[in-house]
């Protein structure tokens, strides 16, 4: 059994009511519950957290290392396009991670096309909506089972 960590960044606490035409109607609580159920089915544990504050996300990533987290699934929200500091935290702990976005950011405004995470991620999932998180849990479990990249 491995421990996964699901991290959601700013404004993702508002899922369900936030721009439902872009992000869907599923709440973050529903996404976290679904990920926990899928992880349990696959024999793993998952811890979930969300913050609107960059420093809290960085501290959570740093703590993950001490806790022995094996794999991170992260939607950095708008910090995707701005945060060198959160990128550096992921590089520092050297825990493999999947970058998840509900929307296909490449089909949106140009400022959303750049990610500070994609080039250092094990894999990226864009545009699958809430289902993307579930796919990420499956992929994380497969990564642990195979002991290889993705
Ligand atoms: C998002 C895409 C980001 O551009 C945006 O700032 C978000 C959500 C997504 O999941 O599609 O907050 O990460």
């Amino acid at each position: 059994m491995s421990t996964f960590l699901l991290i959601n960044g700013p404004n993702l606490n508002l899922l369900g009511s936030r721009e439902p035409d872009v992000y869907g109607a599923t709440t973050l609580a529903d996404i976290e519950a679904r990920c926990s159920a899928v992880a349990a089915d696959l024999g793993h544990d998952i811890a979930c957290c969300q913050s609107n504050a960059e420093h809290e996300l960085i501290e959570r990533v740093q703590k993950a290392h001490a806790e022995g987290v094996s794999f991170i699934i992260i939607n950095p929200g708008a910090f995707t396009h701005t945060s060198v500091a959160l990128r550096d935290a992921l590089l520092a702990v050297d825990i493999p991670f999947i970058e998840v976005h509900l929307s296909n950011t490449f089909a949106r405004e140009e400022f959303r096309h750049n990610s500070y995470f994609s080039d250092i991620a094990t894999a990226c999932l864009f545009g699958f909506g809430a289902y993307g998180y579930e796919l990420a849990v499956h992929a994380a479990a497969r990564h642990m089972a195979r002991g290889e990249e993705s």
Side-chain angles (χ1 to χ4, degrees):
M1 187 194 74
S2 300
T3 301
F4 303 155
L5 175 63
L6 172 61
I7 301 178
N8 276 284
N11 299 308
L12 295 166
N13 54 314
L14 300 179
L15 287 178
S17 61
R18 175 193 182 197
E19 299 180 79
D21 47 320
V22 179
Y23 298 117
T26 310
T27 65
L28 183 58
D30 287 341
I31 288 170
E32 290 178 345
R34 186 71 198 133
C35 286
S36 299
V38 172
D41 270 359
L42 297 169
H44 300 293
D45 253 357
I46 190 163
C48 303
C49 68
Q50 185 278 329
S51 178
N52 295 319
E54 190 175 21
H55 74 278
E56 286 182 4
L57 296 170
I58 292 165
E59 280 158 16
R60 192 66 194 84
V61 169
Q62 291 182 3
K63 210 170 114 194
H65 186 246
E67 290 171 349
V69 167
S70 304
F71 206 97
I72 293 175
I73 296 165
I74 183 167
N75 182 346
F79 290 143
T80 304
H81 321 296
T82 63
S83 185
V84 175
L86 188 54
R87 172 193 171 93
D88 283 350
L90 285 157
L91 284 171
V93 298
D94 198 25
I95 297 172
F97 73 93
I98 293 178
E99 177 185 356
V100 175
H101 295 282
L102 293 130
S103 64
N104 177 1
T105 51
F106 297 103
R108 301 180 63 196
E109 303 98 316
E110 199 162 340
F111 67 84
R112 293 185 204 276
H113 296 186
N114 176 61
S115 166
Y116 279 104
F117 301 89
S118 300
D119 65 308
I120 58 165
T122 298
C124 306
L125 289 161
F126 297 82
F128 288 103
Y131 183 52
Y133 290 93
E134 198 175 321
L135 289 172
V137 175
H138 278 282
R142 184 174 178 272
H143 180 93
M144 298 317 301
R146 293 168 61 112
E148 61 188 43
E149 301 298 308
S150 90

